[in-house]
Amino acid sequence: LAALCRALRQREAEGDEAGWAQAREEAETARRELREIVRPLREPGYREALRRKTERARKRRLRLQRRKQEAKAAKEEEAARAAEREAKIDQWRAKCIQEVEEKNREQELKAAADSVLSEVRKKQADTKRMVDILCALEKLRKLRKEAAGRKGVCPPPSADEAFESQVESLKTLLKNRTELYEAEERALRVMLEGEQEEERKREMEKKQKKEREKLLQQKLEIDSKLFGDPDEFPLAHLLQPFREYYLQAEHSVAALIRIRHEWDQYLVPADHPEGSCIPPGWVLPSLPTNDTWATAVR
């Protein structure tokens, strides 16, 4: 409109009536358009409606930003949970692999020991068979000697001495080997029994470790119900002094003795009509009886 007004003054100064009339028409058109645009602003309540519209737009923008932030936080939390699950899976897989490797090593060691033991038993069987053959050879020579004697043929004494010497030498050798194989068998049996004892000991340690982990997990769950989750419990939390008060016996022997002395004042028999014995653990709170109380607990 300002540009059209300048054009009007310029046409008027130049004396251009046709141009001035055209510029005037354009200026009037622009003024009418501006009036149409400004007219709603002069109506009562328009500014309030515009303010409400702007407020709705601002709230919508904030709501979208909040949803975007919540979605981002949920995505990050899901990624953290996924990473934690992956870490637990990797830990479980490594544990399983370790157990399988230990089991395979034990089986290989046992198989090797069994193989050596079977080899020793085979050697013992061969030695026993040699002893039986030697005994049968003695009987055979005795029978042949008796048969030759009945025919009037007698071998010289030197032959008997040589045979007896050779037989005694073989018996001594077989006896030494038998003792050696028996010692090897005893050593292998002791080793196998030691391995079995170690295996039973490891199984017992694993069982005790699982029991300790189970008890620790139960204790953590009870402490979480009583005092909240320690991982989500900042040092500046409102309940931190109460937590320190109720757990002071875990960090101070003097506090433990004092608390135990206070408890001992109320020791009564199990059948006492006016009291009851001290519970062995924490007394967990009962569940909320209504929604209002549940909201307060949360």
Side-chain angles (χ1 to χ4, degrees), residues 63-83:
R63 186 167 59 253
L64 292 176
Q65 291 178 356
R66 185 169 61 254
R67 288 180 180 176
K68 186 177 180 181
Q69 292 176 356
E70 291 176 354
K72 183 179 179 181
K75 187 176 181 181
E76 292 177 353
E77 185 178 358
E78 180 63 26
R81 286 198 297 266

Side-chain angles (χ1 to χ4, degrees), residues 52-266:
R52 289 195 300 269
K53 183 178 179 180
T54 306
E55 184 66 18
R56 286 196 300 269
R58 186 184 66 82
K59 290 182 178 180
R60 182 175 178 273
R61 184 170 59 255
L62 293 176
R63 186 167 59 253
L64 292 176
Q65 291 178 356
R66 185 169 61 254
R67 288 180 180 176
K68 186 177 180 181
Q69 292 176 356
E70 291 176 354
K72 183 179 179 181
K75 187 176 181 181
E76 292 177 353
E77 185 178 358
E78 180 63 26
R81 286 198 297 266
E84 185 178 359
R85 287 195 300 268
E86 289 293 333
K88 290 182 178 179
I89 291 173
D90 293 339
Q91 184 179 3
W92 173 79
R93 186 184 296 113
K95 184 178 179 181
C96 291
I97 292 174
Q98 183 179 1
E99 291 178 354
V100 171
E101 290 178 352
E102 290 179 356
K103 188 175 181 180
N104 291 336
R105 284 196 299 268
E106 293 170 0
Q107 290 179 352
E108 291 175 359
L109 182 61
K110 185 177 180 181
D114 291 340
S115 176
V116 176
L117 185 60
S118 63
E119 186 69 23
V120 171
R121 288 176 177 174
K122 182 180 178 182
K123 291 178 181 179
Q124 288 177 340
D126 293 340
T127 303
K128 187 176 182 300
R129 186 169 63 254
M130 290 179 184
V131 172
D132 295 338
I133 292 173
L134 190 60
C135 292
L137 185 60
E138 286 180 332
K139 291 180 180 179
L140 177 62
R141 189 178 187 281
K142 182 178 178 182
L143 292 174
R144 287 185 176 182
K145 184 178 178 181
E146 292 176 353
R150 285 192 297 269
K151 293 179 180 180
V153 179
C154 294
S158 60
D160 292 339
E161 291 177 359
F163 180 78
E164 293 294 336
S165 175
Q166 190 68 24
V167 169
E168 289 297 329
S169 176
L170 291 175
K171 284 184 176 181
T172 303
L173 178 62
L174 293 176
K175 181 180 179 181
N176 293 334
R177 288 193 176 184
T178 301
E179 292 176 354
L180 177 62
Y181 297 153
E182 288 177 354
E184 290 182 2
E185 183 181 7
R186 287 194 299 270
L188 287 173
R189 289 187 179 279
V190 169
M191 185 178 68
L192 289 175
E193 290 177 359
E195 288 294 330
Q196 293 175 356
E197 183 65 26
E198 289 291 332
E199 177 65 20
R200 288 192 294 268
K201 187 176 180 181
R202 284 193 293 268
E203 291 294 332
M204 182 62 67
E205 290 177 353
K206 289 181 180 179
K207 186 176 180 180
Q208 291 176 355
K209 183 179 179 181
K210 289 182 179 179
E211 290 294 332
R212 288 195 299 269
E213 291 178 353
K214 183 178 179 180
L215 292 176
L216 180 60
Q217 184 64 28
Q218 291 177 353
K219 182 178 181 300
L220 292 177
E221 291 178 357
I222 292 175
D223 290 345
S224 177
K225 292 179 180 179
L226 292 171
F227 307 112
D229 191 354
D231 297 333
E232 300 178 358
F233 202 91
L235 294 177
H237 197 275
L238 181 63
L239 297 179
Q240 181 64 22
F242 301 96
R243 181 182 178 85
E244 293 178 353
Y245 174 77
Y246 284 109
L247 298 181
Q248 60 180 324
E250 296 184 2
H251 309 285
S252 173
V253 178
L256 174 62
I257 296 174
R258 177 179 55 80
I259 294 173
R260 180 56 189 267
H261 177 69
E262 294 176 355
W263 275 95
D264 289 345
Q265 295 178 356
Y266 299 95

